[in-house]
Amino acid sequence: DKAQFWLGFMYESGDGVPKDSAEAAKWYRKAADQGVVLAQRNLGLMYSVGEGLPRDKAEAAKWLRKAADQGDTYAQCDLGGMYFGGQGVPKDNAEAASWYRKAADQAYAEAQYNLGILYIHGDGVPKDSAEAAQWFRKATDQGYARAQYNLGVLYAKGEGVPKDSAGTMMWFRKAAAQGYAAAENDLGVM
């Protein structure tokens, strides 16, 4: 139940108890087995990076899928990334796009950006710069620097949006203001 999740969280963060990733994983598993979404997600992440548990991408994907199936946007996006990279699951760009879209439809900026990237390259979805621009714009509305930069690139090339140097500069400046290095570099070159 949630008390087990919170105990795991306390051990993971060292809040009121000594920091102990293995103990955190033990409590997360108890809560995850009872369907607690946050515990499932955290357990998946711990398996993914090998924190307190052996690094096991397949086990990570299993727990992330449980959380993703319950609508957890972070888990959906992370699972999309696992399918995109073929980590713990077979590489499948269409499946990656499906999981990214589920999180993107819930206004998760990173997933919106990732979905835009898939549309730019035609990975698992039809190649469509206009669709990419729409997803980037949704992420830029939330201040996501990587999407701001990539939307600027689309304006520079006139792909999916009208070619517009003022639009390019505006989006590069927004991304650069957040310390996004590629935008800072391109502004310097311009």
Side-chain angles (χ1 to χ4, degrees):
D1 72 346
K2 289 187 180 178
Q4 292 167 326
F5 163 77
W6 286 111
L7 190 54
F9 183 79
M10 290 172 71
Y11 275 109
E12 185 177 20
S13 62
D15 184 12
V17 295
K19 189 172 182 171
D20 185 335
S21 296
E23 191 68 15
K26 179 180 98 175
W27 287 105
Y28 282 153
R29 177 170 306 272
K30 289 177 186 277
D33 284 339
Q34 295 178 56
V36 177
V37 175
L38 292 175
Q40 293 169 339
R41 179 192 345 136
N42 287 5
L43 194 58
L45 294 175
M46 291 178 90
Y47 272 114
S48 183
V49 298
E51 180 188 337
L53 296 163
R55 188 169 187 203
D56 184 337
K57 294 289 187 174
E59 195 68 13
K62 175 184 120 179
W63 288 105
L64 287 172
R65 178 179 289 278
K66 287 178 183 281
D69 284 341
Q70 293 191 66
D72 184 272
T73 56
Y74 300 102
Q76 290 168 338
C77 188
D78 287 344
L79 191 57
M82 293 185 87
Y83 275 104
F84 184 75
Q87 298 177 349
V89 292
K91 182 171 176 52
D92 185 336
N93 291 345
E95 189 70 12
S98 174
W99 285 110
Y100 286 151
R101 184 175 300 278
K102 288 177 186 197
D105 286 342
Q106 296 181 70
Y108 186 45
E110 183 179 347
Q112 292 167 334
Y113 166 78
N114 289 340
L115 195 52
I117 291 295
L118 294 183
Y119 276 106
I120 286 290
H121 299 290
D123 289 332
V125 293
K127 188 172 184 172
D128 186 337
S129 296
E131 185 74 13
Q134 289 178 16
W135 286 110
F136 289 155
R137 186 167 303 281
K138 289 179 185 210
T140 65
D141 289 345
Q142 298 176 70
Y144 198 75
R146 292 166 68 187
Q148 291 168 339
Y149 172 74
N150 277 277
L151 188 55
V153 169
L154 292 181
Y155 275 108
K157 294 179 177 179
E159 292 181 8
V161 293
K163 189 169 187 167
D164 179 0
S165 60
T168 299
M169 293 292 288
M170 178 187 78
W171 289 114
F172 282 3
R173 281 191 184 116
K174 286 181 182 261
Q178 295 184 66
Y180 192 69
E184 292 170 337
N185 181 64
D186 286 1
L187 277 173
V189 169
M190 293 175 86

